[in-house]
Amino acid sequence: MKPIIEIMHVSKRYGSLTVLEDVSLEIYPGEVVGLIGSNGAGKTTLLRILAGLVRPSSGNVRLGGQDLADDWGTLPVSLGVLFEPPGLLPNLTGLDNLLTLAAVRGQLRSNDVQAWMEKVGLDPRNRQRVGKYSQGMKKRLGIAQALMENPQILVFDEPTNGLDPEAINQFASWLREAQAGGAAIIVAGHDLTQIARVCERVWRVERGKLVPTTLEGVDPATESP
Amino acid sequence: MISRMVRLDWIRALHGVGIWIALLLTVAVMAMAFSQYSTVEVFGGYPPAYFNAYQALLSGLGYSPDTFFFLVIPILAVLPNGDSLALDRESGADGSFLVRAGWHGYLWGRFLGNATVAGATVFVGLLISGIVASFLFPVALPHYLGVAGHAAFTHQGVYGQEYQPFVWPALFWHAPWLYVLLVMGVATIATGVLAVIATVAALWIRRRVVVLVVAVAIFFAADMGGQLVGLRAWVPSEMVGNYLSNYTHAPAGILAYWIVPGLVMSAITWWRVRSHEWPH
């Protein structure tokens, strides 16, 4: 099996500050990889590079075998991302947010989008604007927008922040569903113990470098499955 | 992908209030200009159709000093959708769009969406004003007697005077509606170009309010700067409509005046698309 994500010797510098240094990682379809680390360790920068939102200073990222820097139109593979904040428009309702994002790819019908809202525990008929949502509601909606189009790659940054324990369990089950559907998933956070059982490999990001590590119930990170 | 993003920008604008405020403001500013324009008539003695819908519209667009359309145009440009990219960046929604549309589709979609929404809003406002003018004033020009230098004589005797716009006067006399539509077209292009200043500013600035203020401030700074260095005929407010009363301007020059900055904005956007990341 070929990796769907190939991060090859990626470094990122902002002026004299080195955020990532010579990071390499391969992730395969159907695999869930965890990234842990303290604030400023470089997790979010790595995820943003992977999602094509930040360009590496050196090194390469390939998604589905295609160099991300070659993107002139659509991305080589479909991605779902959840960053902090969850990437929603505050002046629209929850449903309008999902419908707007779904309209970009044009794959989902309105009924599918409403079903995703219900799946994450939100009422699609709620006319409240997202700016008025609680942190937990925003996070649930953010998870729905990432998952709703069944993308080939899922990127989650601090996905459990603001979620109650029940929602965290639900999130773990949604990850398993996506994994069973063949998605490659990368989850980053300070503390992944609550979803550790979903992760197959875990890496610690320390001063811009990746170090294999373990969590309770997770095997030590290895180079590939 | 670009066309989908443009369509989304339109839907988003139509659901907001800015587009409707800009539309109302356009009509209101033109209506105020019509009110000023017709007050001269009370003195009497003018030939039939001397005050007409075409002249009223051209006056409102800047031919006469009795308008402040040229002052509100930067506000009309940014109100409908000028903050769309800044709002995405401020809220973090840019990432959700970028992974779906890519840099190319996303930024060009926002650029063209903002330009077309703003331009079309003002154009529709001007068309509505045209309908209003055709009810308020005669839809006819006075009898045309000929041209001497830059002056067109419309009536024998004491009322023979400078009357026609200085740019392309022959077209004004032969196809006045087309002429008015072309002048509206210049205002529409100007609005679109002024609107994308906000989009380009949002490449660097995340704060919505700052982006909108910067776009308006650039217009007035260019205006004041131009006047200070003695280029009054070439300042942006002059090129919105007052160029009609200035015989130094040729039609191609007027179009180029707005298209060149539009191309500069496009080049900056293209460079950002190539960069694949926001400036630091």
Side-chain angles (χ1 to χ4, degrees):
Chain A
M1 190 169 27
K2 288 183 178 175
I4 190 165
I5 301 170
E6 296 167 86
I7 299 169
M8 295 172 287
H9 304 290
V10 162
S11 297
K12 183 66 185 176
R13 287 175 291 277
Y14 293 104
S16 59
L17 178 70
T18 300
V19 181
L20 291 173
E21 194 176 349
D22 197 26
V23 169
S24 294
L25 183 65
E26 289 182 345
I27 304 175
Y28 292 78
E31 191 183 11
V32 185
V33 168
L35 289 180
I36 56 168
S38 55
N39 284 339
K43 304 185 298 294
T44 301
T45 302
L46 180 57
L47 295 187
R48 293 185 81 84
I49 287 173
L50 170 59
L53 306 179
V54 172
R55 175 169 258 183
S57 305
S58 61
N60 237 347
V61 177
R62 278 191 187 159
L63 300 181
Q66 192 178 320
D67 200 325
L68 205 52
D70 295 339
D71 158 44
W72 271 95
T74 51
L75 293 165
V77 294
S78 57
L79 260 91
V81 298
L82 173 68
F83 287 103
E84 189 63 43
L88 304 162
L89 292 165
N91 56 341
L92 299 182
T93 66
L95 181 62
D96 286 343
N97 257 285
L98 296 193
L99 288 171
T100 301
L101 290 171
V104 178
R105 287 191 179 128
Q107 294 170 350
L108 298 181
R109 291 169 306 169
S110 175
N111 286 348
D112 302 324
V113 174
Q114 290 188 36
W116 266 104
M117 266 198 94
E118 283 165 0
K119 187 170 180 176
V120 298
L122 297 171
D123 181 359
R125 290 161 301 179
N126 183 357
R127 301 310 297 164
Q128 198 177 19
R129 290 175 183 223
V130 164
K132 304 272 183 195
Y133 273 25
S134 68
Q135 198 193 351
M137 288 168 79
K138 283 181 190 165
K139 192 67 88 171
R140 283 171 183 267
L141 195 63
I143 290 169
Q145 66 80 19
L147 289 167
M148 67 181 178
E149 289 149 318
N150 296 320
Q152 294 160 279
I153 296 172
L154 281 161
V155 174
F156 291 101
D157 191 14
E158 308 284 2
T160 55
N161 273 6
L163 289 181
D164 55 60
E166 187 194 340
I168 291 171
N169 285 335
Q170 285 177 320
F171 174 67
S173 72
W174 298 328
L175 282 190
R176 283 198 197 93
E177 278 177 32
Q179 182 187 20
I185 304 168
I186 184 159
V187 187
H190 298 100
D191 179 8
L192 297 179
T193 49
Q194 291 151 310
I195 56 164
R197 270 164 288 175
V198 185
C199 299
E200 289 160 343
R201 289 188 287 156
V202 176
W203 299 81
R204 176 174 292 282
V205 185
E206 272 182 13
R207 285 186 223 122
K209 295 196 171 190
L210 285 187
V211 182
T213 189
T214 57
L215 291 173
E216 191 183 345
V218 180
D219 292 331
T222 51
E223 285 303 313
S224 61
Chain B
M1 192 53 77
I2 294 173
S3 62
R4 271 194 197 154
M5 290 305 298
V6 171
R7 196 165 66 91
L8 279 175
D9 237 30
W10 269 91
I11 293 169
R12 199 158 129 175
L14 289 168
H15 281 87
V17 292
I19 192 169
W20 306 110
I21 295 172
L23 188 64
L24 283 174
L25 196 55
T26 306
V27 177
V29 167
M30 292 299 282
M32 280 188 262
F34 297 162
S35 160
Q36 278 293 109
Y37 172 74
S38 58
T39 53
V40 191
E41 202 170 5
V42 298
F43 296 110
Y46 289 93
Y50 186 87
F51 293 97
N52 55 68
Y54 312 113
Q55 283 282 2
L57 283 163
L58 294 181
S59 294
L61 283 160
Y63 183 33
S64 103
D66 299 332
T67 183
F68 50 97
F69 180 72
F70 63 90
L71 284 178
V72 294
I73 198 169
I75 296 163
L76 298 175
V78 299
L79 263 179
N81 211 25
D83 63 349
S84 63
L85 181 60
L87 176 62
D88 289 355
R89 293 198 65 200
E90 199 175 70
S91 63
D94 55 331
S96 305
F97 284 112
L98 277 166
V99 297
R100 288 172 168 85
W103 284 91
H104 182 73
Y106 177 66
L107 283 185
W108 284 120
R110 285 281 177 265
F111 183 96
L112 294 172
N114 190 14
T116 55
V117 165
T121 304
V122 164
F123 189 68
V124 169
L126 294 176
L127 285 181
I128 294 169
S129 306
I131 294 167
V132 172
S134 65
F135 280 108
L136 294 175
F137 304 100
V139 186
L141 287 173
H143 186 56
Y144 176 54
L145 292 178
V147 178
H150 290 294
F153 290 87
T154 60
H155 191 262
Q156 282 178 309
V158 293
Y159 301 113
Q161 58 189 282
E162 207 171 73
Y163 186 73
Q164 65 187 1
F166 287 161
V167 180
W168 248 352
L171 184 67
F172 170 72
W173 287 107
H174 291 107
W177 270 128
L178 176 62
Y179 192 87
V180 169
L181 280 173
L182 286 175
V183 177
M184 286 181 181
V186 171
T188 302
I189 292 169
T191 310
V193 171
L194 293 170
V196 295
I197 293 176
T199 305
V200 169
L203 297 174
W204 281 270
I205 305 164
R206 279 172 192 266
R207 308 291 292 180
R208 290 162 71 193
V209 177
V210 179
V211 161
L212 298 180
V213 169
V214 162
V216 174
I218 284 174
F219 177 89
F220 288 113
D223 219 75
M224 284 188 278
Q227 297 201 31
L228 280 175
V229 298
L231 293 172
R232 198 189 178 289
W234 294 96
V235 297
S237 63
E238 190 80 4
M239 299 304 281
V240 171
N242 198 243
Y243 57 82
L244 293 168
S245 60
N246 189 335
Y247 56 84
T248 57
H249 296 300
I254 295 158
L255 271 183
Y257 185 88
W258 290 110
I259 288 173
V260 168
L263 291 175
V264 171
M265 301 295 158
S266 305
I268 297 170
T269 305
W270 180 82
W271 162 73
R272 183 48 52 200
V273 167
R274 289 287 294 150
S275 302
H276 280 210
E277 71 179 344
W278 301 116
H280 312 301

